[in-house]
């Protein structure tokens, strides 16, 4: 150790919308270390990594790699130089085999033809050298999430990456899978690779890192040896204050007891001949939060699409919202019954980016009487309502006419939540409601969800963040492979290890136990 | 809160200010380039540019010609604006103009009524119905079969001009000349002038009313809100419960009606018989350019239409004074302006530098 492999000197990045993502960042990375970069969501970690990997170029400052100043024009240059990156969202072609995915862009050739045998041999060799336990001829679509991640890592190793950037690698893994990944990372370190580990889960960071760099609001708060920092000091560095107590839980109001906001019975959905939802039954009661845990891609997305009416494929089963059968209804009809929906894909589904905040604040109830006159829309009322919502939800903006895509992720999410809140819902679907936003905004969103619950709204919470599900929910369902694998009547009496077993498919409850999701 | 609202950012970092600055600079650059070209080809370049810019104002007849000729282009631009704003890349305006011309000719060449008021109105109605219905086809096929509306609409343009030729030849062919065109309209179908020296006809009044209505629709009505939403993010519109299908049909009908009105204005004031290969050719396509120039804003589009026609008039006057300057020079001005304002990168670096500075200042607090 001791040899510097990568050095950042006064690196600054300003995005075209004026956001300063990074400011005068100085950092050094040593060969053969596991170096974590921590910070809140939106602190500027991802931007920094994108600059190292050549996806973005710094507005000013220099990056020195192996003693030479580098200006990567694209990630291709970075890969050639020996830098690999595993993105939070996998960059794989599902219909290709593992080999095809790995060699793509760097194929072994035999004259002008692809040398398939050599490709398989070389890929398998790299895989075996690092104990990946992968069959490289398998199709990627058939692999589990953890295995897909292995393929991503293998892709970087195949290209002889010495420096590997892992962007939030554990966010899609169960606790058990995370443990395995860490073993692997330690073995990479022994073989001389440098690991840049990005995460906002501090326990994991403490567990794996040699050194830790902290970023807050785009500014570096220094690099520390892991053993010289306590958890409290680290938290303090990251958010600049002590973390407040957990979400205050109110008691569920008895008034709403057993009134159902939504009932789903025997929901089945097939996609390309494969069942993605398999006899899912559950009920969301008024005044409760029903949490759905599970590794991404186990049917949660399809479930939400069916309930909201966005799914185009015909499903079987019954979906009742506020005691009304919704069969044949589109999303408009279901919203009219009292459904609200915070979508996972905030930028894609949740906003019209270039339009002002005021337009975005009313889209789901723009026909309502209080913002319309007979012929036209009442712009004064729209201004009033959007300004009120900006105030109540503490959206940081200069005016309600600012285009929504110039806000930070956390503030955009507040706009989405404020709008859905103002639809006066009876039943709300909250899909990854705090994914990728800063702690302050996340806390705020959590409080609003609880406030809604206490006022009698039934909330279906879908989240890949186990802590979120465990903190907010009254009851918990675990989904695995399109089915409900486990149901927990009391969210307070369950551990993350226990949930992890169900998320992995290692445990499965009996139909009677699972039936509680509908009947309790 | 109220103080915050009042604060208007007049710096270039405000996207609206940026748009205006970009537009003005684009026009100045285009004129500068024109001047350079004039210096190369003309013996008296200064007189040439002055003629282009002020020529149309020198005679009532000239400005009257601008007023009369820009009207159909403005309608065409409004139609394209609605379609583009809603996110539909429907380039069918050209074909709709030509085929509505057939409907107009069919009504105008038959003495359906002897009233000089009713006859033009019937012509308008025929054109509006034709346009409104036929414009739906690309949107309908897209929604129901997933076809590409741009390909379909371009294909339909060719089909419609063929159909127009066929109908005129078969049913309305003139017997007096050998050209392929319709018979003369009955006099009752023609639209007269309200103020002849400036060639002001009821069409101008119709255009003004239409522009105001379109402005209200786009910026004040629920329909305009839906169009803005669907045009900026169709997934978000769907998520919000707006039916993309219904919206695409409604916008297509509106655009078709506007094209029909434009075609009627052109034919009933400026022609006395219909030549399908000539009378309305090019207006639909020009409308799309005007829509880009006017940034899909109804008022911007109409102003752009007037300015372009004004410049065209200026250069054609120049042609009488200075034979060295071809009247096509106006196409250069048009081309450069459209290129510059539609360019994502033009002036972007300048704006980003400003933003960088502002961002850092704000960040430093």
């Amino acid at each position: 150790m001791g040899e510097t492999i990568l050095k950042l000197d006064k690196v600054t990045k300003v995005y075209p919308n004026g956001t300063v993502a990074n400011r005068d960042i100085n950092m050094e990375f040593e060969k053969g270390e596991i170096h974590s970069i921590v910070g809140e969501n939106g602190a500027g970690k991802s931007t920094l990594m994108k600059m190292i990997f050549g996806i973005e170029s710094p507005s000013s400052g220099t990056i020195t790699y192996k003693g030479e100043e580098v200006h990567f024009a694209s990630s291709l240059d970075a890969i050639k130089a020996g830098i690999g990156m595993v993105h939070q969202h996998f960059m794989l072609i599902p219909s290709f085999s593992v080999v095809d995915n790995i060699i793509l862009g760097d194929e072994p050739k035999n004259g002008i033809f692809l040398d398939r045998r050599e490709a398989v041999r070389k890929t398998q060799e790299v895989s075996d050298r690092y104990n990946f336990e992968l069959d490289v001829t398998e199709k990627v679509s058939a692999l589990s999430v953890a295995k897909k991640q292995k393929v991503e890592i293998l892709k970087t190793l195949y290209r002889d990456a010495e420096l590997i950037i892992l962007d939030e690698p554990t966010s899609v893994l169960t606790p058990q899978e995370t443990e395995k990944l860490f073993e692997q990372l330690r073995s990479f370190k022994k073989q001389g690779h440098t690991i840049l580990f990005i995460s906002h889960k501090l326990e994991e960071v403490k567990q794996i890192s040699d050194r830790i760099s902290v970023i807050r609001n785009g500014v570096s708060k220094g690099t520390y040896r892991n053993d010289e920092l306590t958890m409290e000091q680290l938290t303090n560095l990251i958010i600049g204050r002590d973390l407040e107590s957990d979400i205050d839980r109110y008691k569920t109001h008895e008034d709403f007891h057993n009134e159902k906001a939504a009932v789903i019975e025997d929901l089945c959905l097939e996609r390309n001949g494969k069942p993605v939802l398999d006899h899912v039954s559950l009920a969301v009661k008024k005044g409760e939060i029903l949490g759905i845990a599970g590794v991404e891609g186990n049917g949660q997305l399809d479930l939400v699409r069916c309930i909201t009416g966005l799914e185009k494929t015909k499903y079987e089963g019954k979906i009742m919202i506020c005691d009304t059968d919704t069969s044949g209804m589109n999303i408009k009809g279901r919203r009219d019954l009292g459904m609200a929906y915070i979508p996972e894909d905030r930028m894609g589904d949740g906003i019209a980016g270039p339009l002002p905040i005021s337009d975005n604040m009313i889209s789901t109830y723009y026909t309502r009487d209080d913002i319309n006159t007979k012929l036209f829309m009442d712009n004064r009322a729209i201004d009033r309502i959007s300004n009120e919502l900006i105030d109540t939800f503490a959206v940081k903006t200069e005016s309600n006419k600012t285009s929504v895509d110039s806000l930070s992720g956390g503030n955009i999410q507040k706009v989405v939540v404020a709008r859905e809140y103002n639809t006066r819902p009876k039943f709300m679907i909250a899909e990854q409601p705090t994914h990728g936003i800063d702690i302050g905004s996340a806390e705020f969103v959590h409080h609003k969800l609880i406030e809604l619950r206490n006022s009698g709204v039934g909330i279906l919470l879908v989240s890949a963040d186990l802590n979120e599900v465990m903190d907010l929910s009254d009851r918990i369902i675990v989904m695995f492979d399109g089915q409900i694998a486990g149901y927990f009547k009391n969210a307070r009496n369950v551990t993350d290890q226990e949930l992890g077993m169900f998320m992995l498919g290692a445990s499965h409850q009996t139909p009677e136990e699972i039936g509680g999701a509908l009947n309790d | 809160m109220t103080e915050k609202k009042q604060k208007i950012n007049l710096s270039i970092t405000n996207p609206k200010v940026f748009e205006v600055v970009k537009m003005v600079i684009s026009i100045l650059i285009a004129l500068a380039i024109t001047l350079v070209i004039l210096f190369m080809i003309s013996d008296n370049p200064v007189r040439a540019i002055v003629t282009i810019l002020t020529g149309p104002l020198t005679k009532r007849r000239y400005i009257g010609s601008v007023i009369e000729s820009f009207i159909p282009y403005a309608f065409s631009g409004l139609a394209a604006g609605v379609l583009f704003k809603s996110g539909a890349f429907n380039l069918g305006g050209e074909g709709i103009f030509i085929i509505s011309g057939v409907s107009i000719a069919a009504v105008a060449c038959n003495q359906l009524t002897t009233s000089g008021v009713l006859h033009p109105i019937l012509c308008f109605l025929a054109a509006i119905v034709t346009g409104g219905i036929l414009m739906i086809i690309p949107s309908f096929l897209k929604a129901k079969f997933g076809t590409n509306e741009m390909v379909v609409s371009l294909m339909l343009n060719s089909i419609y001009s063929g159909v127009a030729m066929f109908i005129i030849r078969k049913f309305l062919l003139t017997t007096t000349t050998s050209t392929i065109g319709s018979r003369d309209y009955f006099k009752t179908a023609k639209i007269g002038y309200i103020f002849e020296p400036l060639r002001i006809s009821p069409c101008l009044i119709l255009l003004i009313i239409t522009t105001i209505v379109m402005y209200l629709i786009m910026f004040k009505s629920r329909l305009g809100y839906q169009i803005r939403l669907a045009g900026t993010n169709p997934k978000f519109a769907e998520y919000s419960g707006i039916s993309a299908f219904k919206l695409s049909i409604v916008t297509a009908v509106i655009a078709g009606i506007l094209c029909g009105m434009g075609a009627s204005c052109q034919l009933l004031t400026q022609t006395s018989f219909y030549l399908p290969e000539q009378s309305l050719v090019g207006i639909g396509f020009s409308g799309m350019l005007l829509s880009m120039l006017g940034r899909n804003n109804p008022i911007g589009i109409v102003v752009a239409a007037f300015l372009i026609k004004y410049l065209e008039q200026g250069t054609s006057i120049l042609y009488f004074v200075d034979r060295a300057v071809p009247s096509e020079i106006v196409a250069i001005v048009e081309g450069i302006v459209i290129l510059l304002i539609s360019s994502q990168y033009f002036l972007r670096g300048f704006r980003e530098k400003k933003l960088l500075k502002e961002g850092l200042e704000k960040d430093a607090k």
Side-chain angles (χ1 to χ4, degrees):
Chain A
M1 238 195 251
E3 187 192 335
T4 301
I5 184 163
L6 177 74
K7 192 177 159 193
L8 308 179
D9 189 24
K10 288 199 164 175
V11 171
T12 298
K13 175 74 190 176
V14 182
Y15 279 113
N17 62 15
T19 320
V20 183
N22 289 129
R23 202 146 106 89
D24 291 337
I25 302 262
N26 298 313
M27 267 182 208
E28 280 186 27
F29 303 92
E30 286 169 4
K31 197 169 161 53
E33 70 169 344
I34 299 183
H35 191 134
S36 289
I37 297 180
V38 296
E40 288 190 66
N41 281 312
K45 294 170 301 198
S46 298
T47 307
L48 193 63
M49 293 310 113
K50 281 182 187 164
M51 286 191 284
I52 295 174
F53 193 54
I55 298 173
E56 301 273 359
S57 52
S59 308
S60 64
T62 56
I63 299 175
T64 314
Y65 180 67
K66 287 184 174 172
E68 272 175 55
E69 194 180 319
V70 288
H71 298 278
F72 297 137
S74 72
S75 49
L76 228 54
D77 293 350
I79 291 169
K80 268 190 207 135
I83 299 177
M85 180 158 175
V86 176
H87 297 268
Q88 200 173 351
H89 298 285
F90 300 145
M91 310 279 179
L92 296 171
I93 304 174
S95 57
F96 276 23
S97 70
V98 174
V99 181
D100 293 335
N101 265 288
I102 285 173
I103 62 169
L104 191 66
D106 190 14
E107 301 88 352
K109 295 213 176 73
N110 185 358
I112 58 163
F113 297 105
L114 170 68
D115 187 346
R116 229 193 122 70
R117 200 175 305 162
E118 170 66 12
V120 173
R121 193 195 59 74
K122 207 176 151 195
T123 316
Q124 193 68 58
E125 185 203 297
V126 182
S127 166
D128 292 345
R129 193 183 336 142
Y130 292 98
N131 295 319
F132 270 90
E133 295 163 10
L134 272 176
D135 174 10
V136 297
T137 53
E138 223 176 324
K139 253 192 184 178
V140 163
S141 55
L143 299 180
S144 70
V145 175
K147 280 196 172 166
K148 282 182 191 158
Q149 190 172 55
K150 282 186 180 176
V151 176
E152 283 277 11
I153 298 173
L154 193 56
K155 210 159 75 177
T156 67
L157 292 168
Y158 177 86
R159 288 165 174 72
D160 299 319
E162 289 172 57
L163 179 85
I164 302 174
I165 304 169
L166 296 164
D167 189 6
E168 306 268 3
T170 60
S171 64
V172 290
L173 302 181
T174 61
Q176 289 84 351
E177 288 169 333
T178 303
E179 200 43 57
K180 279 205 176 139
L181 172 71
F182 283 180
E183 269 167 44
Q184 205 137 36
L185 293 185
R186 287 191 194 102
S187 85
F188 293 161
K189 184 180 123 181
K190 278 197 199 109
Q191 303 193 37
H193 295 282
T194 309
I195 311 282
L196 257 69
F197 185 81
I198 322 266
S199 180
H200 64 277
K201 295 185 186 167
L202 302 186
E203 300 87 18
E204 292 175 357
V205 168
K206 287 291 286 177
Q207 201 185 331
I208 187 84
S209 324
D210 295 314
R211 295 199 301 161
I212 302 171
S213 292
V214 181
I215 300 184
R216 184 166 86 220
N217 280 334
V219 182
S220 167
K221 292 289 168 190
T223 301
Y224 305 86
R225 283 216 323 277
N226 190 1
D227 47 25
E228 66 182 22
L229 267 183
T230 65
M231 197 66 139
E232 287 68 41
Q233 287 170 318
L234 189 56
T235 314
N236 226 313
L237 280 168
I238 292 172
I239 59 176
R241 60 180 164 89
D242 292 314
L243 196 62
E244 282 162 29
S245 63
D246 261 351
I247 298 146
D248 39 314
R249 294 164 157 279
Y250 313 61
K251 271 218 148 176
T252 313
H253 290 264
E254 292 297 314
D255 324 1
F256 312 114
H257 210 64
N258 268 341
E259 273 182 64
K260 306 269 159 86
V263 179
I264 288 128
E265 277 177 79
D266 269 329
L267 188 62
C268 296
L269 179 72
E270 278 194 4
R271 223 188 281 283
N272 307 324
K274 264 172 45 186
V276 289
L277 287 176
D278 189 2
H279 297 282
V280 174
S281 297
L282 56 89
V284 184
K285 287 184 284 191
K286 288 188 180 164
E288 76 156 358
I289 297 180
L290 177 66
I292 298 187
V295 176
E296 251 175 76
N298 277 293
Q300 303 97 312
L301 197 80
D302 307 281
L303 175 65
V304 170
R305 286 181 61 88
C306 286
I307 302 176
T308 52
L310 285 173
E311 181 57 55
K312 295 283 182 288
T313 321
K314 228 179 129 42
Y315 57 81
E316 276 168 49
K318 199 159 90 174
I319 297 172
M320 309 262 290
I321 295 174
C322 297
D323 301 321
T324 311
D325 192 346
T326 60
S327 53
M329 274 190 194
N330 60 12
I331 184 161
K332 176 88 168 63
R334 297 176 194 215
R335 279 186 177 283
D336 289 344
L337 293 177
M339 182 190 77
Y341 172 35
I342 300 170
E344 174 185 356
D345 184 1
R346 182 159 58 232
M347 305 303 279
D349 292 326
I351 56 162
L355 295 184
I357 296 175
S358 55
D359 277 356
N360 278 283
M361 283 279 198
I362 57 162
S363 74
T364 51
Y365 53 91
Y366 70 97
T367 49
R368 217 160 66 184
D369 287 344
D370 57 343
I371 49 174
N372 282 285
T373 59
K374 268 220 178 70
L375 209 50
F376 297 120
M377 296 186 87
D378 186 347
N379 284 331
R380 220 174 298 160
I382 293 170
D383 279 344
R384 200 192 65 239
I385 287 179
S386 55
N387 278 325
E388 273 169 22
L389 288 174
I390 285 171
D391 280 350
T392 357
F393 281 79
V395 180
K396 239 169 85 185
T397 174
E398 279 181 13
S399 98
N400 68 341
K401 294 290 169 223
T402 308
S403 70
V404 73
D405 59 3
S406 65
L407 303 179
S408 73
N411 281 307
I412 292 178
Q413 186 69 347
K414 282 183 186 171
V415 170
V416 174
V417 175
R419 179 186 63 225
E420 296 307 304
Y421 178 93
N422 204 33
T423 57
R424 303 165 191 163
K426 299 194 183 83
F427 167 55
M428 177 180 262
I429 301 162
E431 196 181 11
Q432 318 280 11
T434 59
H435 181 80
I437 65 177
D438 61 285
I439 296 179
S441 306
E443 230 172 82
F444 193 89
V445 169
H446 285 161
H447 279 269
K448 282 293 170 193
L449 289 179
I450 295 204
E451 194 186 310
L452 279 169
R453 180 197 74 173
N454 292 341
S455 69
V457 179
I459 299 177
L460 185 68
L461 170 72
V462 182
S463 178
D465 182 350
L466 262 189
N467 291 335
E468 183 172 67
V469 174
M470 289 167 57
D471 279 352
L472 289 179
S473 310
D474 298 297
R475 301 186 295 149
I476 295 181
I477 284 170
V478 183
M479 283 191 75
F480 178 77
D481 204 16
Q483 292 181 325
I484 296 179
Y487 163 69
F488 302 90
K489 188 174 181 180
N490 193 337
R492 261 147 277 195
N493 301 337
V494 63
T495 64
D496 56 349
Q497 288 291 328
E498 230 175 301
L499 289 176
M501 296 304 285
F502 285 95
M503 285 162 72
L504 281 171
S507 306
H508 204 289
Q509 287 175 345
T510 64
E512 287 73 44
E513 288 173 287
I514 291 167
L518 177 66
N519 301 319
D520 271 356
Chain B
M1 194 69 241
T2 40
E3 287 155 48
K4 265 190 247 167
K5 263 188 292 171
Q6 246 93 61
K7 199 179 134 197
I8 295 164
N9 181 0
L10 277 180
S11 130
I12 194 154
T13 49
N14 178 339
K16 276 188 188 135
V17 177
F18 180 65
E19 283 281 304
V20 174
V21 171
K22 198 169 151 181
M23 174 82 76
V24 172
I25 293 181
S26 302
I27 292 172
L28 289 180
I29 290 178
L31 287 177
I33 293 175
T34 314
L35 193 61
V36 170
I37 295 171
L38 289 175
F39 264 101
M40 289 190 292
I41 57 176
S42 167
D43 298 329
N44 196 343
V46 177
R47 184 190 63 185
I49 195 103
V50 169
T51 311
I52 291 178
L53 294 180
T54 63
L57 294 175
T58 52
K59 278 189 189 148
R60 278 212 287 211
R61 184 160 56 83
Y62 291 156
I63 192 72
S65 161
V66 174
I67 289 172
E68 184 172 59
S69 64
F70 97 98
I71 292 172
Y73 287 85
F75 275 111
S76 171
L78 289 174
V82 174
L83 291 171
F84 293 167
K85 191 92 185 172
S86 73
F89 285 98
N90 181 337
L91 309 184
E94 179 74 12
I96 298 297
F97 258 86
I98 289 169
I99 199 78
S100 351
V102 176
S103 303
I104 296 162
V107 177
C109 296
N110 288 295
Q111 189 78 65
L112 297 175
T113 165
T114 50
S115 156
V117 179
L118 201 57
H119 206 174
I121 290 176
L122 287 177
C123 292
F124 264 88
L125 286 178
I128 286 169
V129 171
T130 313
I133 292 174
L134 294 181
M135 196 63 128
I136 295 173
I137 295 173
S139 307
F140 182 82
L141 291 179
K142 186 191 183 183
K144 291 293 164 200
F145 300 103
T147 54
N148 180 319
E149 71 224 304
M150 182 152 48
V151 174
V152 171
S153 60
L154 284 174
M155 218 164 61
L156 284 173
N157 284 345
S158 309
I159 293 173
Y160 288 151
S161 58
V163 170
M165 286 297 280
F166 170 77
I167 296 176
I168 295 292
R169 209 194 273 257
K170 183 98 178 155
F171 301 107
L172 297 165
L173 194 62
T174 172
T175 46
T176 49
T177 64
S178 61
T179 49
I180 298 170
S182 77
R183 301 190 292 267
D184 282 358
Y185 314 141
F186 279 90
K187 282 226 169 53
T188 45
K190 292 274 291 175
I191 297 176
Y193 296 112
I194 303 171
F195 183 63
E196 182 135 21
L198 284 179
R199 297 208 212 166
I200 291 171
S201 67
C203 292
L204 183 65
I205 296 165
L206 181 69
L207 175 66
I208 292 170
I209 295 171
T210 310
T211 311
I212 294 170
V213 170
M214 288 311 293
Y215 180 84
L216 290 175
I217 287 180
M218 294 307 272
F219 296 106
K220 304 277 176 211
S221 75
R222 289 178 286 281
L223 177 63
Y225 180 73
Q226 294 176 0
I227 290 174
R228 284 206 301 281
L229 238 51
T232 22
N233 185 355
K235 275 176 76 191
F236 176 58
E238 193 196 352
Y239 155 93
S240 300
I242 291 165
S243 161
F245 175 68
K246 231 190 273 170
L247 190 63
S248 69
I249 298 298
V250 171
T251 47
V253 169
I254 293 177
I257 289 174
L258 290 168
C259 288
M261 294 209 271
S264 310
C265 289
Q266 172 79 0
L267 292 188
L268 301 181
T269 58
Q270 296 178 57
T271 66
S272 46
F273 48 88
Y274 181 47
L275 300 170
E277 284 187 312
Q278 199 178 321
S279 305
L280 295 167
V281 171
I283 300 180
F285 280 125
S286 299
M288 295 163 208
L289 296 180
L290 292 170
S291 167
M292 283 176 76
L293 274 175
R295 301 315 256 164
N296 297 343
N297 177 322
I299 293 172
I301 290 167
V302 173
V303 171
F306 186 83
L307 289 181
I308 291 295
K309 283 289 145 189
Y310 184 92
L311 284 182
E312 276 179 17
Q313 181 70 22
T315 42
S316 56
I317 296 166
L318 177 62
Y319 189 67
F320 292 115
V321 195
D322 188 345
R323 295 268 158 185
V325 185
S327 59
E328 282 77 18
I329 197 154
V330 71
I332 297 177
V333 181
E334 239 175 294
I336 294 167
V337 173
I338 288 174
L339 186 75
L340 289 178
I341 67 166
S342 60
S343 155
Q344 299 276 335
Y345 295 114
F346 177 57
L347 291 179
R348 197 177 74 167
F350 175 61
R351 177 163 182 255
E352 277 180 13
K353 254 183 228 154
K354 273 269 192 194
L355 277 169
L356 180 91
K357 229 176 95 192
E358 255 181 39
L360 285 175
E361 274 165 17
K362 223 188 287 168
D363 195 52
K365 349 184 183 186

